Amino acid sequence: MTPAQRLRIGLTGGIGSGKSAVADLLAAQGAAIVDADALAHQLTAPGGLAMPSLVQAFGAGICNAQGALDRTVMRDLAFRDPQARMRLESILHPLIGAAMRDAASRAEGDYLVFVVPLLVEQLNRWRPQIDHLCVVDCPEALQIARVRARSGLTTETITAILAAQATRAQRLAVADDVIDNSTDLQSLALQVEALHAKYAALTRRN
């Protein structure tokens, strides 16, 4: 089956919901993973394709000592200034989209999983490109606790990030499949195993 014919899954969820954990478990089952965040990190690494345009738009102050995008500086700027956020997205989103298409054309796996944090926020663009939309869900308080533990961000900063994303209710309203990541890893693994079985069956049917 060619990449164009493979079942295409959109995987999303709010910050701290556990998208990466679910993607890793699906990859272990044989899925091909195309991760928007991972590609964004490549584009904004030292010498990354996005860096010249970002420096031109925002100045050298957005770079860290290694020449990569300083994500803390850029995040603070984007949340203070909606126009800056729009400029950032206008530079990054086309590059990420092209990188995802290229990665999907080369990815090997039973079916394709596009891991996209802001998929619901860009649903009109993404719906024609995916066959199923899977949401990783957990309570907002748990999201905040997880992000604070792993990143050291303040609750205020995390709350601002959450406010800029789709709400939990908005994601659940458009989901075809939901993974509940509010308990433990064993429960998560069992849910992902069942979801993989569903996607594998659909793949065989195509």
Side-chain angles (χ1 to χ4, degrees), residues 35-54 67-69 71 91-100:
D35 189 323
D37 262 357
L39 293 169
H41 275 83
Q42 293 176 20
L43 291 166
T44 56
L49 190 61
M51 291 309 298
S53 296
L54 290 173
L69 179 67
R71 289 177 165 267
I91 293 168
L92 279 183
H93 286 181
L95 293 173
I96 293 170
M100 292 187 79

Side-chain angles (χ1 to χ4, degrees), residues 4-205:
Q5 294 172 318
R6 279 184 293 186
L7 188 72
R8 301 161 303 170
I9 310 301
L11 179 66
T12 194
I15 186 172
S17 61
K19 296 180 296 295
S20 295
V22 171
D24 288 345
L25 289 166
L26 286 171
Q29 297 279 354
I33 306 297
V34 179
D35 189 323
D37 262 357
L39 293 169
H41 275 83
Q42 293 176 20
L43 291 166
T44 56
L49 190 61
M51 291 309 298
S53 296
L54 290 173
V55 170
Q56 183 177 14
F58 301 107
I62 63 164
C63 298
N64 62 21
Q66 291 73 42
L69 179 67
D70 188 319
R71 289 177 165 267
T72 300
V73 170
M74 192 71 251
R75 180 174 54 243
D76 291 345
L77 177 60
F79 279 111
R80 284 199 316 270
D81 182 356
Q83 292 299 317
R85 183 178 176 185
M86 289 176 64
R87 285 203 305 277
L88 174 66
E89 291 176 349
S90 71
I91 293 168
L92 279 183
H93 286 181
L95 293 173
I96 293 170
M100 292 187 79
R101 288 190 293 274
D102 179 62
S105 71
R106 295 181 287 102
E108 295 182 1
D110 297 334
Y111 51 89
L112 281 166
V113 178
F114 296 100
V115 187
V116 186
L118 300 181
L119 192 154
V120 172
E121 292 82 347
Q122 304 164 5
L123 190 59
N124 288 341
R125 181 166 71 85
W126 271 102
R127 258 306 184 191
Q129 302 181 58
I130 59 175
D131 302 302
H132 287 263
L133 197 168
C134 179
V135 167
V136 185
D137 180 59
C138 70
E140 187 173 293
L142 186 53
Q143 291 178 258
I144 293 171
R146 285 173 176 164
V147 176
R148 193 169 53 209
R150 80 184 184 201
S151 68
L153 294 175
T154 65
T155 299
E156 182 181 13
T157 299
I158 300 166
T159 301
I161 295 171
L162 287 168
Q165 296 184 342
T167 66
R168 185 182 182 190
Q170 286 171 329
R171 283 190 294 269
L172 292 174
V174 296
D176 299 308
D177 302 294
V178 177
I179 292 287
D180 174 13
N181 190 23
S182 62
T183 55
D184 55 33
L185 287 175
Q186 183 179 7
S187 172
L188 184 67
L190 289 172
Q191 292 178 75
V192 172
E193 187 176 339
L195 193 65
H196 167 73
K198 172 183 175 177
Y199 293 155
L202 289 171
T203 296
R204 289 191 296 270
R205 203 176 302 162

